[in-house]
Amino acid sequence: MDFGLKGKSVFVAAASKGLGKASALEFSREGAIVTIASRSLDELEKAAAEIRQETGNPVHVAAMDVNSLADIDAALAVAVNAGNGLDVLVTNAGGPAPGNFDNFDDAAWQKAFESNLLSVIRLIRGALPHMRDKGAGRIVNLTSSSIRQPISGLILSNTFRAGVYSLTKSLAIELAPQGILVNTVAPGRIATDRVAQLDENKAKNTGKSVEQIQAESIAQIPAGRYGIPSEFGKAVAFLGSFANGYITGQALLVDGGMVKAL
Ligand SMILES: NC(=O)c1ccc[n+]([C@@H]2O[C@H](COP(=O)([O-])OP(=O)(O)OC[C@H]3O[C@@H](n4cnc5c(N)ncnc54)[C@H](OP(=O)(O)O)[C@@H]3O)[C@@H](O)[C@H]2O)c1
């Protein structure tokens, strides 16, 4: 299938590792001019070199903390300059702290709002004028399976992912007449550093071994294993491609069947 991504300008946020990096790799495989952004320039340079080596296509980097509007605008400008505008935006950020309702004060809620919802709004606001210039665009928001079924011990994430999903649906309706499609891809348990940290954290809190925690987690997944980042990245690249001409406002769960809700 031709994804229609050759020479397109693609920006992936929080992409020095994990799901963002895996998504950037798939766009690069399809011939896009990719810009990856996150806080650590060193990690970004390493990721960009790996992707370039694998695909032979240009990958640009921009240091960006998603909590800073100035960083977001500067990073988007890198993509616009590198790719002669912007065709595709993938929003993403580091996950918020694990915990339950009683663990968090106003400052913690505010921080999670800024990292995991306001950053998405700001990235989209910065990207839209460039997509409108072209009369087309694709936006993919990375969320979590918690948009369908809240995850115990992740109340900050559960709350703001639902907000991103609702934003996705609302924007899909507003932007479809302008040729801009907006979707979310929601991971279940994909083997990244974040998931390893969450498993370690749970092991510490329960007195169980990490292996036990993983086994309990896998028992909830009909596919019988955690996902691998490339399985997630391919879903993002499809919804963020121009092979996708008519899917908008949707949530695609990449979870090996974990969420049982319709
Ligand atoms: N993996 C899963 O199965 C899963 C499931 C549900 C939800 N999620 C969510 O999906 C997102 C990505 O997860 P992941 O598994 O890919 O995590 P990861 O492997 O830990 O990678 C996180 C990425 O985010 C970047 N980042 C962190 N804080 C940032 C900030 N303030 N500004 C800009 N970039 C930042 C990191 O780079 P720097 O350190 O260089 O900034 C890194 O590239 C998270 O929000 C996570 O909660 C993941």
Side-chain angles (χ1 to χ4, degrees), residues 90-261:
V90 178
T91 71
N92 185 28
N100 295 318
F101 190 76
D102 289 338
N103 299 122
F104 300 117
D105 59 10
D106 276 5
W109 280 96
Q110 183 68 30
K111 186 166 177 253
F113 160 69
E114 288 180 12
S115 295
N116 294 103
L117 179 54
L118 185 60
S119 70
V120 179
I121 293 165
R122 287 171 159 176
L123 281 161
I124 293 172
R125 194 192 287 132
L128 275 182
H130 304 288
M131 294 181 177
R132 285 178 171 140
D133 277 352
K134 296 195 174 205
R138 299 289 179 267
I139 298 171
V140 183
N141 299 317
L142 304 196
T143 53
S144 163
S145 62
S146 66
I147 60 172
R148 288 275 164 72
Q149 181 176 293
I151 301 168
S152 300
L154 282 178
I155 196 165
L156 294 177
S157 175
N158 295 341
T159 303
F160 294 110
R161 309 296 186 189
V164 174
Y165 185 20
S166 186
L167 175 72
T168 300
K169 195 77 183 174
S170 306
L171 277 176
I173 296 162
E174 283 189 35
L175 298 176
Q178 299 166 38
I180 300 169
L181 307 185
V182 194
N183 292 286
T184 176
V185 181
R189 293 188 75 74
I190 312 292
T192 64
D193 289 359
R194 161 84 174 169
V195 162
Q197 277 158 16
L198 289 174
D199 284 348
E200 276 167 31
N201 192 56
K202 206 165 176 187
K204 216 184 306 162
N205 291 340
T206 57
K208 296 178 183 174
S209 68
V210 173
E211 291 71 26
Q212 248 175 308
I213 295 293
Q214 285 171 342
E216 287 172 11
S217 201
I218 287 169
Q220 304 302 314
I221 304 172
R225 61 176 175 84
Y226 287 179
I228 53 177
S230 65
E231 291 172 320
F232 184 86
K234 288 180 202 307
V236 174
F238 171 69
L239 283 177
S241 78
F242 293 84
N244 169 24
Y246 203 58
I247 302 170
T248 194
Q250 301 306 307
L252 178 58
L253 269 69
V254 180
D255 72 345
M258 184 178 78
V259 171
K260 311 297 186 297

Side-chain angles (χ1 to χ4, degrees), residues 16-17 19 38-40 64-66 93 95 161 190 192 194:
S16 64
K17 58 183 184 173
L19 304 181
S38 77
R39 293 164 305 179
S40 162
M64 173 192 77
D65 185 330
V66 292
R161 309 296 186 189
I190 312 292
T192 64
R194 161 84 174 169

